[in-house]
Amino acid sequence: MKDSILERVKQLFTDYLKEHGQRRTPERYAILAEIYSLDQHFDVESLFTRMLGLGHNVSRATVYNTLELLLECRLITKHQFGKNLSQYEKSFEYKQHDHLLCEDCERVVEFCDPRIQQIQSMMGDILQFNITHHALTLYGRCSLLAKGEHCTHYQEKRSLLK
Amino acid sequence: MKDSILERVKQLFTDYLKEHGQRRTPERYAILAEIYSLDQHFDVESLFTRMLGLGHNVSRATVYNTLELLLECRLITKHQFGKNLSQYEKSFEYKQHDHLLCEDCERVVEFCDPRIQQIQSMMGDILQFNITHHALTLYGRCSLLAKGEHCTHYQEKRSLLK
DNA sequence: ATACCTGCAAAAGCTTTGCACAAGG
DNA sequence: CCTTGTGCAAAGCTTTTGCAGGTAT
């Protein structure tokens, strides 16, 4: 099933590259495959490191280049969660969704609410804009925590950092 | 009336600085005053340049330091509109609001919809988070524009750049 | 008087760019 | 072949940090 999604995504990427006179290089497909093997958000550096770890001798420049192409054909989406660091996630066959961030452990939870689409189209009408997309992020902390306490994911996070 | 707001804001800043054992320096008040004279979003570099233009010999470091303090006492808010550049705006007595961005001319329109608060508190309940704030940004282009056309604000924008 | 703050400049972190070589079409 | 893509390294930009001197309290 996973493979089937990967195959379909590769096909879409191929179509896009052909249509836009871009070359189908092994690096680009390797990056696409790696992204679709992940189930979390990622940043450029972690993807780059991961590629090296897998034995692919790609450069950061190629990673950035490929991410740009994947954004253009909507196979990934890009987020800025309030920091100067771009986060990405695969987006094929994923419902449009929004994010809730724990500012303690930086865990990201996804959610969906139809009212956001309503707001989007209503505001488009009122303000005379063709709205193409939106980004809603809720910021908070896991409930039940006293001030100074950390949520259960905090320690995991700490151990991940360096 | 404007002065009255500035005075109240200065007072709040003074209170905050005293409470937190921070010094009340002329640089900090000059930056606060300049921010509250603006009616638009701004980034650090434009604020810095503006301060120099007004004859205040402040450094970038001080601007960053002061913005941090003003964020802490909620006299300004910070946004990342999908780019690696922080944007700020004054926030005293401004209703919580969200933003609509024209991707053609980069104009920012503010709007307000009560449903967002509802979503925020509902998601907080469901996902067990204490949600402190949110950021919703709608991205689009002024309506009625054909592909390739630019909206009326585009030329203004072009002339501002460089 | 003495912490803390400031200005300056260097460093850090993410992203973009330039160039010579490699490789897709 | 010829053009585009890649790897590498340098440069760009925004933001952070270190330090010597200045200033609020």
Side-chain angles (χ1 to χ4, degrees):
Chain A
M1 225 61 227
K2 279 265 171 181
D3 278 345
S4 142
I5 282 185
L6 182 54
E7 289 312 314
R8 290 162 71 191
V9 163
K10 279 184 185 170
Q11 188 56 53
L12 287 169
F13 194 32
T14 298
D15 295 346
Y16 179 84
L17 293 174
K18 278 186 184 165
E19 263 180 50
H20 291 74
Q22 299 268 4
R23 291 185 182 162
R24 283 139 262 159
T25 68
E27 289 85 358
R28 291 176 175 175
Y29 285 102
I31 291 169
L32 175 62
E34 184 54 20
I35 289 172
Y36 269 78
S37 80
L38 298 173
D39 284 310
Q40 305 178 354
H41 297 76
F42 60 91
D43 57 38
V44 174
E45 198 58 26
S46 67
L47 177 59
F48 173 65
T49 308
R50 203 171 252 271
M51 295 306 293
L52 292 188
L54 291 170
H56 296 102
N57 186 28
V58 298
S59 66
R60 279 189 188 77
T62 299
V63 173
Y64 277 104
N65 175 344
T66 304
L67 289 174
E68 192 57 40
L69 292 170
L70 292 172
L71 279 172
E72 284 167 19
C73 60
R74 300 170 177 282
L75 288 174
I76 60 173
T77 53
K78 177 178 179 175
H79 309 289
Q80 305 266 158
F81 293 129
K83 290 196 289 201
N84 290 317
L85 176 68
S86 298
Q87 304 255 102
Y88 299 83
E89 68 179 323
K90 59 187 174 187
S91 62
F92 176 65
E93 280 199 343
Y94 280 73
K95 274 192 305 196
Q96 158 75 51
H97 61 265
D98 294 283
H99 301 93
L100 194 168
L101 244 86
C102 177
E103 297 189 300
D104 186 37
C105 64
E106 298 186 25
R107 185 166 55 128
V108 179
V109 178
E110 299 177 356
F111 69 91
C112 215
D113 192 300
R115 284 173 288 191
I116 299 162
Q117 290 300 332
Q118 293 167 16
I119 293 171
Q120 179 170 318
S121 55
M122 194 182 93
M123 287 302 157
D125 288 347
I126 293 176
L127 300 172
Q128 299 257 10
F129 267 74
N130 285 318
I131 298 180
T132 55
H133 60 289
H134 73 262
L136 170 61
T137 307
L138 308 179
Y139 298 89
R141 301 174 83 232
C142 302
S143 307
L144 318 169
L145 290 179
K147 261 212 162 186
E149 276 187 342
H150 293 302
C151 75
T152 51
H153 305 266
Y154 183 75
Q155 290 306 330
E156 302 167 25
K157 181 71 195 176
R158 293 277 301 189
S159 59
L160 286 176
L161 296 172
K162 179 191 13 334
Chain B
M1 225 62 227
K2 279 265 171 180
D3 278 344
S4 142
I5 282 184
L6 182 55
E7 288 314 314
R8 290 162 71 190
V9 164
K10 279 184 185 169
Q11 187 57 53
L12 287 169
F13 194 33
T14 297
D15 295 346
Y16 179 85
L17 293 174
K18 278 186 185 166
E19 263 180 49
H20 292 74
Q22 298 268 5
R23 292 186 180 163
R24 285 138 261 158
T25 68
E27 290 85 359
R28 290 176 176 176
Y29 285 102
I31 291 170
L32 174 63
E34 184 54 20
I35 289 173
Y36 269 78
S37 80
L38 298 173
D39 284 311
Q40 304 179 354
H41 297 75
F42 60 91
D43 57 39
V44 174
E45 198 59 25
S46 68
L47 177 58
F48 173 65
T49 306
R50 204 171 251 270
M51 296 306 293
L52 292 187
L54 291 170
H56 295 102
N57 186 28
V58 298
S59 66
R60 278 189 190 77
T62 299
V63 172
Y64 277 103
N65 174 344
T66 304
L67 288 175
E68 192 57 42
L69 292 171
L70 291 172
L71 279 172
E72 285 168 17
C73 60
R74 300 170 179 278
L75 288 175
I76 61 173
T77 53
K78 177 178 178 174
H79 309 289
Q80 305 267 158
F81 293 128
K83 290 196 289 199
N84 289 317
L85 175 68
S86 298
Q87 304 255 101
Y88 299 83
E89 68 178 322
K90 59 188 174 186
S91 62
F92 176 65
E93 280 199 342
Y94 281 71
K95 274 192 304 198
Q96 158 75 51
H97 62 263
D98 293 285
H99 300 92
L100 194 168
L101 244 86
C102 178
E103 297 189 301
D104 186 37
C105 64
E106 298 185 28
R107 185 166 55 130
V108 180
V109 178
E110 299 176 355
F111 68 91
C112 213
D113 192 300
R115 284 172 288 191
I116 299 162
Q117 290 300 333
Q118 293 167 16
I119 293 171
Q120 178 170 320
S121 55
M122 194 181 94
M123 286 302 157
D125 288 347
I126 293 176
L127 300 171
Q128 299 256 11
F129 267 73
N130 286 318
I131 297 179
T132 56
H133 60 290
H134 74 262
L136 170 61
T137 307
L138 308 180
Y139 298 88
R141 302 175 82 231
C142 303
S143 307
L144 318 170
L145 290 179
K147 261 212 161 185
E149 276 187 341
H150 293 303
C151 76
T152 52
H153 304 268
Y154 183 75
Q155 290 306 327
E156 302 167 25
K157 182 70 195 176
R158 293 276 302 188
S159 60
L160 286 176
L161 296 172
K162 179 190 28 342

